[in-house]
């Protein structure tokens, strides 16, 4: 009785199988790179905000929510975060010759102390902006409570930074706020925002 040769499942792959396997790996890697590139492109898309009345033009992340109703020129918020949403707010107020940066910050602090829980000013600093002009900053913190009735008692410590730029009788205040746990990571967005702010 003649036995037929049975091919072992552990036999060496043929040249065709090796070529197919290599081509499969190449297509998978190419697909992953294309997906990462598309994701980064979507996350890094920007939108232009322009307000002729206030004379402000700014770039902001396109996926952030834009708001224009309130006691500010505009505000953008990253709604992808759970809890407190990272936000950048731009306000413009007319100032007199006798108004100093410290007076403006004191007025802001008085207003905020009435509406923000555990509001504390942490310090002041002088900054040099990308266009070589000078600005004053105020660092602060407060506690934000989740508005959801299902998450009562959940609080977040929020770190904030106001950058005050005085130009032509107008004070432009850029306010950046983020959950203190991710504040350092999110700070690069503020730096990019300031570099692209025009007024």
């Amino acid at each position: 009785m003649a036995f037929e040769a049975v091919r072992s499942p552990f036999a060496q792959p043929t040249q065709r199988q090796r070529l197919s396997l290599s081509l499969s790996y190449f297509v998978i890697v190419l697909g992953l790179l294309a997906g990462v590139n598309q994701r980064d492109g979507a996350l890094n898309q920007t939108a232009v905000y322009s307000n002729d009345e206030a004379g402000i033009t700014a770039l902001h992340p396109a996926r952030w929510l834009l708001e224009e109703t309130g006691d500010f020129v505009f505000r953008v918020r990253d709604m992808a975060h759970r809890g407190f949403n990272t936000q950048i707010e731009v306000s413009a107020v007319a100032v007199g010759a006798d108004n100093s940066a410290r007076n403006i910050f004191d007025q802001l602090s008085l207003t905020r102390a009435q509406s923000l829980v555990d509001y504390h000013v942490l310090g002041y600093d002088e900054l040099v902006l990308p266009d070589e002009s000078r600005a004053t900053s105020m660092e602060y913190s407060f506690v934000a409570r989740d508005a959801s009735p299902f998450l009562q008692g959940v609080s977040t410590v929020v770190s904030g930074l106001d950058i005050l730029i005085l130009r032509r009788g107008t004070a432009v205040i850029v306010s950046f706020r983020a959950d203190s746990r991710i504040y350092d990571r999110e700070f690069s967005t503020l730096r990019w925002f300031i570099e692209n702010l025009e007024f």
Side-chain angles (χ1 to χ4, degrees):
M1 176 168 30
F3 290 99
E4 291 183 16
V6 178
R7 185 175 172 84
S8 166
F10 302 107
Q12 292 293 324
T14 64
Q15 180 70 20
R16 187 175 183 182
Q17 288 172 327
R18 273 193 232 113
L19 184 61
S20 296
L21 191 59
S22 298
L23 187 61
S24 297
Y25 286 143
F26 177 74
V27 169
I28 289 169
V29 169
L30 195 63
L32 286 172
L33 288 174
V36 167
N37 188 37
Q38 188 174 8
R39 177 186 172 272
D40 288 347
L43 290 176
N44 295 325
Q45 284 183 340
T46 60
V48 178
Y49 173 82
S50 184
N51 185 314
D52 294 333
E53 187 179 327
I56 292 174
T57 302
L59 290 179
H60 65 86
R63 62 188 176 86
W64 287 27
L65 177 68
L66 173 67
E67 300 171 83
E68 295 181 89
T69 54
D71 59 347
F72 45 80
V73 177
F74 76 100
R75 174 170 60 195
V76 287
R77 293 190 295 158
D78 184 1
M79 303 305 288
H81 285 296
R82 288 171 47 175
F84 187 85
N85 307 120
T86 301
Q87 59 184 247
I88 299 173
E89 182 179 292
V90 177
S91 305
V93 293
V95 292
D98 58 339
N99 273 30
S100 66
R102 186 60 185 264
N103 288 343
I104 295 167
F105 281 143
D106 287 346
Q107 290 171 4
L108 271 175
S109 293
L110 284 172
T111 305
R112 288 174 177 165
Q114 296 170 12
S115 59
L116 299 177
V117 177
D118 206 19
Y119 174 81
H120 292 290
V121 174
L122 304 174
Y124 303 91
D125 201 1
E126 295 293 321
L127 303 173
V128 177
L129 299 176
D131 65 356
E132 302 300 322
S133 62
R134 296 201 165 271
T136 308
S137 68
M138 177 176 73
E139 199 172 351
Y140 56 93
S141 68
F142 63 92
V143 174
R145 291 208 168 87
D146 201 306
S148 170
F150 304 106
L151 298 173
Q152 286 182 355
V154 176
S155 298
T156 303
V157 176
V158 177
S159 294
L161 181 72
D162 289 336
I163 298 174
L164 173 64
I165 309 158
L166 293 168
R167 294 222 181 121
R168 299 182 301 273
T170 303
V172 174
I173 304 161
V174 178
S175 300
F176 173 73
R177 298 176 187 138
D179 185 325
S180 61
R181 293 170 293 190
I182 60 170
Y183 181 85
D184 291 336
R185 186 182 78 204
E186 296 286 285
F187 194 79
S188 60
T189 304
L190 174 66
R191 192 176 294 117
W192 168 82
F193 181 85
I194 291 290
E195 287 171 359
N196 293 286
L197 178 66
E198 296 176 11
F199 62 95

